[in-house]
PDB file of all heavy atoms in Angstrom:
ATOM      1  N   ILE A 114      17.489-103.391 103.478  1.00  0.00           N
ATOM      2  CA  ILE A 114      17.778-104.737 103.787  1.00  0.00           C
ATOM      3  C   ILE A 114      18.032-104.925 105.288  1.00  0.00           C
ATOM      4  O   ILE A 114      18.706-103.983 105.904  1.00  0.00           O
ATOM      5  CB  ILE A 114      19.050-105.214 102.915  1.00  0.00           C
ATOM      6  CG1 ILE A 114      18.686-105.063 101.531  1.00  0.00           C
ATOM      7  CG2 ILE A 114      19.310-106.731 103.268  1.00  0.00           C
ATOM      8  CD1 ILE A 114      20.029-105.348 100.739  1.00  0.00           C
ATOM      9  N   PRO A 115      17.406-105.731 105.925  1.00  0.00           N
ATOM     10  CA  PRO A 115      17.752-106.014 107.390  1.00  0.00           C
ATOM     11  C   PRO A 115      19.073-106.195 107.733  1.00  0.00           C
ATOM     12  O   PRO A 115      19.884-106.786 106.876  1.00  0.00           O
ATOM     13  CB  PRO A 115      16.815-107.339 107.669  1.00  0.00           C
ATOM     14  CG  PRO A 115      15.838-107.337 106.735  1.00  0.00           C
ATOM     15  CD  PRO A 115      16.441-106.767 105.436  1.00  0.00           C
ATOM     16  N   GLY A 116      19.485-105.613 108.891  1.00  0.00           N
ATOM     17  CA  GLY A 116      20.996-105.623 109.273  1.00  0.00           C
ATOM     18  C   GLY A 116      21.501-107.037 109.367  1.00  0.00           C
ATOM     19  O   GLY A 116      22.661-107.332 109.170  1.00  0.00           O
ATOM     20  N   VAL A 117      20.675-107.996 109.950  1.00  0.00           N
ATOM     21  CA  VAL A 117      21.147-109.291 110.127  1.00  0.00           C
ATOM     22  C   VAL A 117      21.497-109.970 108.824  1.00  0.00           C
ATOM     23  O   VAL A 117      22.441-110.678 108.619  1.00  0.00           O
ATOM     24  CB  VAL A 117      20.015-110.166 110.847  1.00  0.00           C
ATOM     25  CG1 VAL A 117      20.517-111.539 110.893  1.00  0.00           C
ATOM     26  CG2 VAL A 117      19.710-109.665 112.180  1.00  0.00           C
ATOM     27  N   ILE A 118      20.589-109.730 107.767  1.00  0.00           N
ATOM     28  CA  ILE A 118      20.921-110.247 106.393  1.00  0.00           C
ATOM     29  C   ILE A 118      22.218-109.685 105.795  1.00  0.00           C
ATOM     30  O   ILE A 118      22.969-110.417 105.234  1.00  0.00           O
ATOM     31  CB  ILE A 118      19.783-109.987 105.432  1.00  0.00           C
ATOM     32  CG1 ILE A 118      18.420-110.646 105.966  1.00  0.00           C
ATOM     33  CG2 ILE A 118      20.070-110.615 104.046  1.00  0.00           C
ATOM     34  CD1 ILE A 118      18.472-112.023 106.154  1.00  0.00           C
ATOM     35  N   VAL A 119      22.459-108.357 106.100  1.00  0.00           N
ATOM     36  CA  VAL A 119      23.602-107.784 105.633  1.00  0.00           C
ATOM     37  C   VAL A 119      24.857-108.345 106.234  1.00  0.00           C
ATOM     38  O   VAL A 119      25.875-108.575 105.687  1.00  0.00           O
ATOM     39  CB  VAL A 119      23.467-106.161 105.755  1.00  0.00           C
ATOM     40  CG1 VAL A 119      24.892-105.523 105.491  1.00  0.00           C
ATOM     41  CG2 VAL A 119      22.529-105.543 104.922  1.00  0.00           C
ATOM     42  N   GLY A 120      24.754-108.554 107.578  1.00  0.00           N
ATOM     43  CA  GLY A 120      25.890-108.985 108.428  1.00  0.00           C
ATOM     44  C   GLY A 120      26.261-110.388 107.911  1.00  0.00           C
ATOM     45  O   GLY A 120      27.396-110.835 107.758  1.00  0.00           O
ATOM     46  N   ILE A 121      25.236-111.353 107.829  1.00  0.00           N
ATOM     47  CA  ILE A 121      25.490-112.650 107.264  1.00  0.00           C
ATOM     48  C   ILE A 121      26.159-112.708 105.969  1.00  0.00           C
ATOM     49  O   ILE A 121      27.054-113.441 105.697  1.00  0.00           O
ATOM     50  CB  ILE A 121      24.310-113.570 107.437  1.00  0.00           C
ATOM     51  CG1 ILE A 121      23.683-113.654 108.846  1.00  0.00           C
ATOM     52  CG2 ILE A 121      24.442-114.911 106.823  1.00  0.00           C
ATOM     53  CD1 ILE A 121      22.426-114.319 109.026  1.00  0.00           C
ATOM     54  N   SER A 122      25.565-111.847 105.080  1.00  0.00           N
ATOM     55  CA  SER A 122      26.049-111.892 103.717  1.00  0.00           C
ATOM     56  C   SER A 122      27.539-111.363 103.555  1.00  0.00           C
ATOM     57  O   SER A 122      28.406-111.982 102.991  1.00  0.00           O
ATOM     58  CB  SER A 122      25.220-111.029 102.829  1.00  0.00           C
ATOM     59  OG  SER A 122      23.898-111.348 102.832  1.00  0.00           O
ATOM     60  N   LEU A 123      27.837-110.299 104.401  1.00  0.00           N
ATOM     61  CA  LEU A 123      29.188-109.786 104.461  1.00  0.00           C
ATOM     62  C   LEU A 123      30.152-110.869 105.021  1.00  0.00           C
ATOM     63  O   LEU A 123      31.233-110.933 104.608  1.00  0.00           O
ATOM     64  CB  LEU A 123      29.269-108.564 105.275  1.00  0.00           C
ATOM     65  CG  LEU A 123      28.583-107.329 104.605  1.00  0.00           C
ATOM     66  CD1 LEU A 123      28.564-106.137 105.428  1.00  0.00           C
ATOM     67  CD2 LEU A 123      29.413-107.011 103.276  1.00  0.00           C
ATOM     68  N   LEU A 124      29.702-111.579 106.161  1.00  0.00           N
ATOM     69  CA  LEU A 124      30.517-112.603 106.651  1.00  0.00           C
ATOM     70  C   LEU A 124      30.911-113.651 105.665  1.00  0.00           C
ATOM     71  O   LEU A 124      32.147-114.071 105.592  1.00  0.00           O
ATOM     72  CB  LEU A 124      29.868-113.190 107.933  1.00  0.00           C
ATOM     73  CG  LEU A 124      30.616-114.336 108.604  1.00  0.00           C
ATOM     74  CD1 LEU A 124      31.909-113.874 109.113  1.00  0.00           C
ATOM     75  CD2 LEU A 124      29.693-114.906 109.708  1.00  0.00           C
ATOM     76  N   ILE A 125      29.980-114.092 104.925  1.00  0.00           N
ATOM     77  CA  ILE A 125      30.147-115.148 103.879  1.00  0.00           C
ATOM     78  C   ILE A 125      31.115-114.540 102.862  1.00  0.00           C
ATOM     79  O   ILE A 125      32.097-115.279 102.477  1.00  0.00           O
ATOM     80  CB  ILE A 125      28.803-115.436 103.232  1.00  0.00           C
ATOM     81  CG1 ILE A 125      27.951-116.283 104.289  1.00  0.00           C
ATOM     82  CG2 ILE A 125      29.109-116.410 102.054  1.00  0.00           C
ATOM     83  CD1 ILE A 125      26.482-116.526 103.777  1.00  0.00           C
TER      84      ILE A 125
END
Side-chain angles (χ1 to χ4, degrees):
I114 303 175
V117 175
I118 303 301
V119 174
I121 295 175
S122 303
L123 290 174
L124 177 60
I125 296 174

